[in-house]
Amino acid sequence: MLRTRTLGAATMVALLLSTTAVLANDIVIAGGRVIDPETGLDAVRNVAIEGDKIVAISEFPLEGDVVIDATGHVVSPGFIDLHSHGQNIGDYRMQVIQGVTTALELESGIVPVSDWYEDQATKNLPMNYGASAGWTHSRIATFSDTDPLATAAFFTDAQGRTDWKQDIASAEQSERIMSLLEQGLKDGALGIGVNAGYAPGFGHKEYYALAELAKKYNVPTYTHVRYASNTEPQSSFEAIQELISLAAITGAHMHLCHINSTSLSDIKATMALVEEAQAQGINVTTEAYPYGAASTVVGAAMFSGPDWRDRMDSTANNFQLGADRMTEDELADYQANKPGTFIVWHFLDEADPAALSLLDVSVTNPATAIASDSVLWSYFDENGNILLYEGDEWPLPDNVFSHPRSTGAYTKILRSYVRERGVLSLSEAIRKMSLLPAQTLEDSVPQMRTKGRLQVGMDADIVVFDPATVADLATFENANQPTVGVQTVIVNGGFSVRDGELVLDAPNGRAIRNVVAD
């Protein structure tokens, strides 16, 4: 009997060892500084991933089929971008290499929404993707009496028309605009994108109807407010006040896009408006990107009217096309003949300490999420025309250009705001780039409740970076310079960046949609 018991114990030990080997995790991230912004964890830990979930976070060694040595590195939830216009494969790649694991087109949005999601699902995308229902697309289609197309070109090609930008919609037109948006919500859109800065002449009743529709479907609006001006009337302050008043009246969640560029130099007053609204329980959220320059089409409505230069403290020299600033003659030519051309527009000089401090007011505010407002990559053809780059070459071709925020917004936060200037702590920066964006959406998008966190049971969307070397290299003169210092990016448990290199054609991205589509 004694011998039988001894053999039984030995067999049991062997079985346990065998089970341990079989249950080895798919991936273990070992020895990194793990930061979870929700629980406050900030310590050296080992993280195990099985399938698409985080299954263990431990002080003790963990076994894995693949082990990543994260010694000296930070292990963070993947960054979530609420404002990403670049939705081609090259755009996604330039985002994921800086740690973005979810990129959402919310400000402009798109219609038809179902077409867009179906098209994205056919691609090998390295990160999660999603979009709102696009109000400007709906307006363009309605005023031009056409069917909308789920493309960026549908928006840029319409910049030569002024009716959808400046005219009040008739009752019949309003009905079609709202019908297109409501269908988009039924198809899974993440809310309503209200790019009002591009169509500032729309009616107050139309904006109220948009808020009411968002409340009906329990989704946010994402608004680029209708004015950008330091002076009254029709000031940035007035436009943000309008958004807050609608949120208070309707109870809708209204998200204010890029409060930094919308507010220009009046950011202290507009940020105070948002803080007061939030203190009173009004459901208003906001975001900012860490640059003193915007990117938009040269024919945008805000660059029109007899006094726009004074209102925006701007001349042609504030406009940049490719590597060069524009002249007055070039600006006039492009506005008249190529109004859909994407340009960079400088509104604050970051080299000026006073201007940089104004930018910091928005970026460092605890209520402000970090979003890139990334734009598409463009190039000049042999005839001097500007085309959008939609290819899959990697690295991107040498001749493409964009705004540096398209590949450096998040690593600029880690380099400038955390490491070099110390105006944000590392944990606070990570919260603003991961947890806060997830919380902005999670009431209407249950998928986001398992993102932006580094905890057991959460989605395995993770970035590993070296805090001593992580940096943005992109400049306004040459934005086509990928970020450095990001070692690993994991999306839904799969590698999108490994050993500092992009994993080409990593099919890890998944659609993010609202619950209406379930």
Side-chain angles (χ1 to χ4, degrees), residues 49-356:
I49 297 167
E50 184 73 24
D52 59 0
K53 297 293 183 182
I54 299 169
V55 295
I57 299 176
S58 174
E59 298 178 61
F60 306 103
L62 298 171
E63 184 176 350
D65 296 332
V66 176
V67 177
I68 301 166
D69 182 5
T71 304
H73 287 59
V74 171
V75 183
S76 159
F79 306 142
I80 298 169
D81 193 351
L82 299 176
H83 194 149
S84 183
H85 297 301
Q87 298 290 322
N88 295 316
I89 186 65
D91 305 313
Y92 283 104
R93 288 169 172 172
M94 285 298 241
Q95 284 270 61
V96 77
I97 56 174
Q98 62 168 326
V100 178
T101 55
T102 300
L104 307 174
E105 165 56 283
L106 300 181
E107 178 210 44
S108 286
I110 211 84
V111 287
V113 170
S114 58
D115 289 358
W116 184 83
Y117 274 108
E118 288 171 9
D119 184 56
Q120 296 300 84
T122 65
K123 306 171 185 177
N124 286 332
L125 297 179
M127 64 172 68
N128 304 306
Y129 57 91
S132 67
W135 169 76
T136 50
H137 277 64
S138 301
R139 260 198 153 237
I140 292 166
T142 298
F143 276 85
S144 61
D145 195 24
T146 59
D147 292 327
L149 298 176
T151 65
F154 185 75
F155 175 77
T156 57
D157 290 348
Q159 293 304 312
R161 299 179 64 108
T162 59
D163 50 0
W164 68 272
K165 298 179 182 180
Q166 300 294 355
D167 293 353
I168 301 292
S170 67
E172 293 78 11
Q173 288 173 324
S174 294
E175 183 178 357
R176 186 176 186 222
I177 291 168
M178 295 302 160
S179 176
L180 287 169
L181 294 172
E182 186 162 19
Q183 185 59 53
L185 295 176
K186 291 177 180 178
D187 290 338
L190 300 173
I192 302 173
V194 187
N195 214 336
Y198 292 84
F202 74 107
H204 291 278
K205 289 182 179 179
E206 186 172 337
Y207 199 8
Y208 178 81
L210 293 173
E212 288 273 87
L213 183 60
K215 178 63 176 177
K216 174 182 175 181
Y217 282 89
N218 187 38
V219 294
T221 63
Y222 310 95
T223 300
H224 174 155
V225 293
R226 71 168 87 216
Y227 306 132
S229 171
N230 291 315
T231 59
E232 295 186 291
Q234 298 186 346
S235 66
S236 302
F237 188 91
E238 177 184 337
I240 293 171
Q241 189 178 52
E242 177 187 31
L243 179 150
I244 293 171
S245 69
L246 285 176
I249 293 167
T250 66
H253 173 188
M254 304 192 73
H255 182 77
L256 170 59
C257 297
H258 50 46
I259 192 172
N260 53 323
S261 60
T262 296
S263 300
L264 307 178
S265 60
D266 204 25
I267 184 63
K268 291 181 180 179
T270 59
M271 200 74 240
L273 265 181
V274 171
E275 289 177 332
E276 182 61 26
Q278 291 176 336
Q280 295 187 33
I282 299 172
N283 199 357
V284 174
T285 54
T286 193
E287 66 185 48
Y289 55 81
Y291 295 90
S295 182
T296 184
V297 289
V298 71
M302 59 186 170
F303 304 132
S304 63
D307 61 346
W308 73 266
R309 297 166 186 270
D310 292 334
R311 296 167 65 83
M312 302 180 78
D313 192 22
S314 186
T315 68
N317 190 60
N318 292 77
F319 292 74
Q320 185 169 340
L321 181 58
D324 301 317
R325 299 294 183 105
M326 299 183 81
T327 66
E328 294 293 346
D329 287 343
E330 287 172 332
L331 177 60
D333 177 51
Y334 272 90
Q335 288 185 326
N337 300 308
K338 300 177 183 178
T341 300
F342 277 97
I343 49 85
V344 171
W345 174 63
H346 297 263
F347 60 90
L348 287 175
D349 180 4
E350 293 177 56
D352 177 359
L356 181 60

